[in-house]
Every structure is written in structure tokens, then in C-alpha cells.
Amino acid sequence: MATQEEILEGLAEIVNEIAGIPAEDVQLDKSFTDDLDVDSLSMVEVVVAAEERFDVKIPDDEVKNLKTVGDAVNYIVANS
Amino acid sequence: MTAQAHQTAQIKPSTGAQFSRIHGVGGYRPVRVIPNSEVLNWIESSDEWIRTRSGITERRWAGPEETVAEMSVQAASKAIAMAGIAPEQVGGVIVATVSHLKQTPAIATEIAQRLGCGTAPAFDISAACAGFGYGLSLADGMVRGGSAEYVVVIGVERLSDLTDIHDRSTAFIFGDGAGAAVVGPSDTPGIGKVVWGSDGSQADVISQTAAWDTAFAKPDAVNGAGEETKWPALRMEGQTVFRWAVWDMAKAAQQALDAAGITADQLGAFIPHQANMRIIDAMIKALKLPESVPVARDIAETGNTSAASIPLAMERMLQSGEAKSGDLALIIGFGAGLVYAAAVVTLP
């Protein structure tokens, strides 16, 4: 199972690829929408890519709760 | 006749063409252009927001004279002319639509009659944004099965009639128009296996807000006591649709390629349903489509015209020279149902 650091690193790569945001800006305390400017559709792409990469299911209802990068990392750690 | 004769009597098989292909395509775009600036009169949004979320800059909305039948006849006449056949040779007219608001009779019979297709069988199908692909699959079967020599498949919508202009998630998306294709016999395969299907477990994801009987017989049930009857409209859960479209539909598109024995680099065009530019871009990534393959982006000026979007986009790509006759095109439609249909076709 991937560690929190590995998941953060992987997520940063995904966010970089999809939304063009520098990977180093993707930190645990950053909000996807407010800080990283990831809009709702890009968020869906990020989620789908994360599901693939970390072998985890993130239902639509859950996506709403993933406000920060840390929320996403914690969800993946707990569910993968 | 003896009992023995009864048992051995055999129905004479119906045989058609060995292969089928699209012989002609035609479109009709309503006269009235609705730019984003006009949509902003109805919803709190911005031109930039609409463009970044959907890629749409303007759409066409039909006027009173541009009925479902009228737009269909215009589009199909062009397709029949391009096919170089006489209307009397058409042995079937299939109309895919979700926005012909008079259920009975099917609008296809009036269209067939106005096209001069004699007594050809004519019927409507309801498969939303996959309607053109569903119609294509039926037409292919009819031509190869011997029940028709040529079949006209029409995708036509007046989605403006089912748009809640104050719903900020859908008001800017939908457009009107018609696209048609003539399917007929071919010496070589021109329509690959149609990969199609449905998922009724997601029926609520895109739907009409209320059934007509609910809306009109018991208006209070929809609107609350004392309010006026509210005209039903189309609503959708955008993010759920986006996820399904990008992920599952890229897989269906790949299956259509595999079934046709074609690789992405052999394509001369990718013509997905024009639902949203972001879906198109994401599908290209998911499919790993080579940059050399031209992609239909008709949505920018046409909006989402549901069943009409693929033939309209196909016509535009051929007219603009982005794609040419004989090229292989991957088409995929997907929408309310949920339903989908994908295939590789040879462009007319």
C-alpha cells in the first residue's frame, strides 16, 4: 500500500497533468477550488485518474467532501 | 398437403447487400444565432465561464417555421442529393429525436412523404444523443438483411423547446438542428460493428424534469400549490455525466475501433457527440488519439444538438475539408438513458 507521501506525490502529478498546476503547489492544506483553481470538471478528471492510479473507488457523493488535497490523500489512504 | 410437407416447408430467406456504407450526409442549421451574450440575459454567468466549461460560443435556436419535420426534410434532402439516388429508392426513414413534442403519429411518416419516399416504412426512435448511432445500426441491419436498399437516418432536435432558460447548468448548452445520412449497399464494409448499449440504473442522470401528464394533470405536484403549470425541461447531473462520458465512453469508443479492426492512427476523423468541449478533450486523452486525427468541434458554434450533433459535425468536417470522402471516422454518441453507440464508418 502506498504511503501518504507517495499518494501526495502521485496526486500532485495528476493535478499537474490535468490542470497544469505546478506539482510543488499541490500541498495537503491546499483547497482544490480556492487555492489550486481546479474547476468541477477538472476535479472529476483528477478523481478518475486517481481511481486508476491508486486502485480506489471515489463515488460522486464523496467527491464533494474532498475540499483539500489532504482530504483526498486521507480518503485514498483509508480506502485503497 | 401432407403433414410431412408442413414440417419441411421453409421460409424463403431475405437477403440484402453484403455490406453497407453511408452514401450521403446533410445538415440543417436554424437561422437564429444565440450568442453567449444573449444567454447571459437569463442566467447569472459569464461568457468566459460558459466557454471554459463547455467550449460553446454560440448556438442555433429554431424559429416557429423551423419545425422538427421541416429541418429534417431540409437535412435529408441534402443527404439524398449527395448520395445521388432518387427519393423513391429510399426503403426506410428512421427519425431519432427526443424533442418532437407530438407523440402520435411518428413524425417520420410525414417526413418520408414530404421527401418523396413513397410508402417506405418510417418510424421514430428515442435514444437521445445516441440516436444517430442507434439509427445507423438499424439502417445497417435493414440494408444487409434485405428489408431496404437505402435507408435515411435523421437526427433532429428542437432542444430549445425543452430548455429551462433560467437553469444555469443547462441554459447555455442546448441547440437545435437536424442532420441526416443515407445508408445503402456497398461492395466493401463501410459501417463497422456498432458497439451500443444502455444503463437504466442511471436513468435519472439526464432526464425531463416531469412527465407531460404530471406537469399538466397535476401541476401542483411539480410546482407547488397555486403556481402556474411549469413546462418540462431537460436537466442533468453534469459531473456524473462528465465522468461517465469521459471514462466509460472512451472504452466504448475503443471497443468500436477493436471491433472494426482499426487503430486510432488509421482514422481520418473523430466525431464524438458534441456534448461539451471538455468531454471531447478528455476523451481524446483517454483514447490516446494521435494529434494527427482531426476532431469534430462543431459544438463551439452549434451547442449540444443531441441526436443531430454527429451528422451535423460530419457534414461540417467534409465541407471544410478537415476530413474527406473515403476517410475512416470514429463516431460515438452518448446521453440520456443512459445510452451509447459507437462505430467506425467510412465517410461519404
Side-chain angles (χ1 to χ4, degrees), chain A residues 22-39:
Chain A
E24 59 268 27
D25 290 357
V26 182
Q27 298 296 334
L28 293 175
D29 60 339
K30 293 283 167 59
S31 153
F32 285 108
T33 48
D34 300 339
D35 300 324
L36 303 176
D37 211 20
V38 174
D39 72 21

Side-chain angles (χ1 to χ4, degrees), chain A residues 17-18 39-42 44-45 47-48 51-52 58-60 63, chain B residues 52-54 238-243 246-247 276 278 281-282 285:
Chain A
E17 192 180 317
I18 287 164
D39 72 21
S40 59
L41 296 183
S42 292
V44 174
E45 285 190 75
V47 163
V48 169
E51 284 186 333
E52 174 91 329
I58 311 176
D60 284 336
V63 175
Chain B
T52 54
R53 300 305 164 107
S54 71
Q239 289 179 41
T240 305
V241 174
F242 184 80
R243 182 174 177 145
V246 170
W247 194 237
N276 180 317
R278 295 279 291 274
D281 287 330
K285 272 193 278 178

Side-chain angles (χ1 to χ4, degrees), chain A residues 39-74:
Chain A
D39 72 21
S40 59
L41 296 183
S42 292
M43 190 63 196
V44 174
E45 285 190 75
V46 168
V47 163
V48 169
E51 284 186 333
E52 174 91 329
R53 181 156 181 162
F54 302 114
D55 193 24
V56 61
K57 276 275 155 224
I58 311 176
D60 284 336
D61 288 346
E62 199 58 51
V63 175
K64 299 181 192 76
N65 302 328
L66 307 180
K67 306 276 188 223
T68 66
V69 174
D71 294 339
V73 170
N74 290 338

Side-chain angles (χ1 to χ4, degrees), chain B residues 16-42:
Chain B
Q18 189 179 2
F19 305 116
S20 75
R21 68 179 172 94
I22 299 174
H23 288 254
V25 65
Y28 178 82
R29 296 165 192 276
V31 174
R32 185 179 169 205
V33 176
I34 310 276
N36 285 349
S37 57
E38 193 167 341
V39 176
L40 297 177
N41 294 329
W42 311 314

